[in-house]
Amino acid sequence: MERIKQVGDVAEIMLDYVENKKTFQTEKPLKVKTSTYTDIDQYTAEIELVFKRVPLMLGFTSELPNPGDYKTMDAVGMPVLINRDKQGKVHAFLNVCSHRGAPVAEGKGNCSRFTCKYHSWTYGSDGRLIGISESSTFGDVDKAGMGLRALPCEERGGMIFVCLTPNAPMNLDTYFQGFLEDFEALDFANWTYLGNRTIEGANWKIAFDGYLEGYHFKSLHPETIFPRTPSNTAHYEGFGPNIRIGFPQHSIAEQLKDVPREKWGEQENKGYDFVRIFFPNVSIFVAPEITQVAQLFPGPTPDKNRTVLNYLRREPIKDEADREAVEGAMNFFRDVTYEEDYVIGLQIQKGLESGAHDDLVFGRNERGNQYFHEWLNWYLEDDASAPEPKM
């Protein structure tokens, strides 16, 4: 009930924004060096001090629903294997055989063990080394100490979180500060994973900046987003380094007028929407028809990013016609994201590399972008005694 009250209070704030043509504002604009988006040293530091240290959302419960399910992926150059063992527990490993370093799995599927295709060394679903081919000629080895290298991994709120550094501490409660309750309330663990699309664009932060504000809706999305959502009208809440962005709809007053005030917190997508941001690289838009979860990965060079657009919904696929409609919807959302956001991002990258300006500026109305860059800088300083940014 506390969550419903909190969301209802935000809905009331957003109603006021629309009726009085206001938005969330902070104290002053913030300048960010353009080299933030182009410098190789900054890029390297982001990989080492951010992406390899914080919990990354790398999968979904509904993506690996059954014992034995697995998937492999590349995460900032790290080969990752995520699987569910015979008891249903989720694990994450570096997808690297302890014999000669080859991958032990490819793609996705279901199996009870993983066998390296190079020399057929075999590992259990819990990562233990359970078989060495032609072991009588190989010689004695400590099998117990030669399992797959485990990564910190935890399943919460219908999602799978992984830290890319073995043995690193990972505390999701501290990191998300109650934010995952949103996904538990949505019953996200029982949704259907529909599939994904991959697009490529400019520096990962150029792309991510676009997910953090609605200042551009009227000018960049006049026919797709703006008919539903007014420009330059958003509310920001911080949960540690993570953000919930509230976007009221033009129709918020009409949508809420007959709803009791105590139920306003139950009206997501009926007068207002949320974009949920997981620092450093995930944007989640829960829409009535289909939910898009964007995972942005830096690289392979500072001027590029690879974005995986994942799609989920509450209901399973009904039939072939439904599957065809879902495929069309995923293609539509991918095309809008790429053509309306990522294309201009590529132009921005070229502009920043020209050296035309030393700084970019985020306005008082772009608090999401400011907050993101403040947290990014906090991690890059690598000083745990420094005060954390506050919304």
Side-chain angles (χ1 to χ4, degrees), residues 7-22 226-230 233-235 246-261 263-274:
V7 174
D9 291 344
V10 171
E12 185 171 24
I13 291 169
M14 290 191 287
L15 175 62
D16 177 62
Y17 286 169
V18 172
E19 290 184 330
N20 295 291
K21 300 187 184 304
K22 299 190 301 184
F226 181 66
R228 176 186 180 93
T229 307
T233 311
H235 189 72
F247 289 111
Q249 298 170 14
H250 291 288
S251 62
I252 186 170
E254 180 68 21
Q255 295 260 27
L256 295 180
K257 71 175 184 178
D258 295 325
V259 178
R261 173 61 181 81
K263 293 186 177 297
W264 282 13
E266 302 172 0
Q267 300 301 303
E268 184 172 353
N269 300 139
K270 301 173 184 177
Y272 59 87
D273 304 294
F274 288 115

Side-chain angles (χ1 to χ4, degrees), residues 140-201:
D140 294 334
V141 297
D142 177 18
K143 285 169 56 175
M146 296 186 68
L148 297 176
R149 193 70 182 274
L151 297 171
C153 177
E154 188 173 344
E155 187 172 21
R156 290 277 291 276
M159 294 165 288
I160 300 166
F161 297 91
V162 178
C163 179
L164 295 178
T165 299
N167 301 316
M170 187 174 78
N171 188 319
L172 297 186
D173 291 324
T174 299
Y175 191 75
F176 286 103
Q177 297 188 13
F179 199 14
L180 296 182
E181 293 175 8
D182 270 13
F183 297 90
E184 292 161 358
L186 291 167
D187 195 28
F188 208 51
N190 291 310
W191 288 30
T192 296
Y193 185 79
L194 302 170
N196 63 65
R197 300 290 187 268
T198 299
I199 57 178
E200 296 179 350

Side-chain angles (χ1 to χ4, degrees), residues 42-61:
Q42 164 117 6
Y43 168 82
T44 302
E46 289 165 356
I47 301 298
E48 296 301 323
L49 298 178
V50 180
F51 279 86
K52 289 186 179 179
R53 292 196 183 182
V54 306
L56 300 179
M57 197 286 290
L58 295 186
F60 303 90
T61 296

Side-chain angles (χ1 to χ4, degrees), residues 7 38 41 136 194 207 230 244 263 270 303 306 344 360:
V7 174
T38 62
D41 291 335
S136 62
L194 302 170
R244 185 167 62 196
K263 293 186 177 297
K270 301 173 184 177
D303 59 334
R306 176 176 60 89
I344 197 168
L360 298 183

Side-chain angles (χ1 to χ4, degrees), residues 69-317:
D69 285 348
Y70 73 89
K71 76 166 187 174
T72 64
M73 64 185 301
D74 178 281
V76 294
M78 302 287 281
V80 177
L81 167 63
I82 301 173
N83 77 305
R84 197 177 294 279
D85 67 22
K86 295 177 181 179
Q87 288 71 45
K89 179 179 173 57
V90 166
H91 302 269
F93 306 100
L94 291 174
N95 185 17
V96 181
C97 180
S98 61
H99 172 216
R100 297 271 290 278
V104 301
E106 295 178 341
K108 61 182 179 179
N110 183 283
C111 65
S112 60
R113 59 186 59 188
F114 300 101
T115 300
C116 174
K117 67 180 181 181
Y118 196 6
H119 296 95
S120 297
W121 282 33
T122 301
Y123 301 83
S125 60
D126 59 359
R128 289 182 303 113
L129 176 61
I130 59 176
I132 296 175
S133 62
E134 302 182 56
S135 59
S136 62
T137 64
F138 192 85
D140 294 334
V141 297
D142 177 18
K143 285 169 56 175
M146 296 186 68
L148 297 176
R149 193 70 182 274
L151 297 171
C153 177
E154 188 173 344
E155 187 172 21
R156 290 277 291 276
M159 294 165 288
I160 300 166
F161 297 91
V162 178
C163 179
L164 295 178
T165 299
N167 301 316
M170 187 174 78
N171 188 319
L172 297 186
D173 291 324
T174 299
Y175 191 75
F176 286 103
Q177 297 188 13
F179 199 14
L180 296 182
E181 293 175 8
D182 270 13
F183 297 90
E184 292 161 358
L186 291 167
D187 195 28
F188 208 51
N190 291 310
W191 288 30
T192 296
Y193 185 79
L194 302 170
N196 63 65
R197 300 290 187 268
T198 299
I199 57 178
E200 296 179 350
N203 178 273
W204 71 278
K205 297 182 299 298
I206 289 176
F208 206 53
D209 279 334
Y211 292 94
L212 298 172
E213 46 89 2
Y215 187 30
H216 67 283
F217 285 175
K218 185 176 182 179
S219 54
L220 199 61
H221 306 294
E223 297 179 359
T224 50
I225 298 178
F226 181 66
R228 176 186 180 93
T229 307
S231 252
N232 199 30
T233 311
H235 189 72
Y236 296 98
E237 302 166 88
F239 299 81
N242 313 286
I243 311 172
R244 185 167 62 196
I245 310 174
F247 289 111
Q249 298 170 14
H250 291 288
S251 62
I252 186 170
E254 180 68 21
Q255 295 260 27
L256 295 180
K257 71 175 184 178
D258 295 325
V259 178
R261 173 61 181 81
E262 64 271 16
K263 293 186 177 297
W264 282 13
E266 302 172 0
Q267 300 301 303
E268 184 172 353
N269 300 139
K270 301 173 184 177
Y272 59 87
D273 304 294
F274 288 115
V275 169
R276 294 171 171 88
I277 300 295
F278 290 169
F279 183 89
N281 70 325
V282 171
S283 171
I284 303 170
F285 176 44
V286 177
E289 308 87 359
I290 192 170
T291 288
Q292 176 173 286
V293 181
Q295 298 167 291
L296 285 76
F297 295 101
T301 52
D303 59 334
K304 293 181 174 62
N305 89 84
R306 176 176 60 89
T307 297
V308 180
L309 302 172
N310 301 275
Y311 296 97
L312 304 92
R313 73 177 189 188
R314 288 178 171 86
E315 305 82 15
I317 298 293

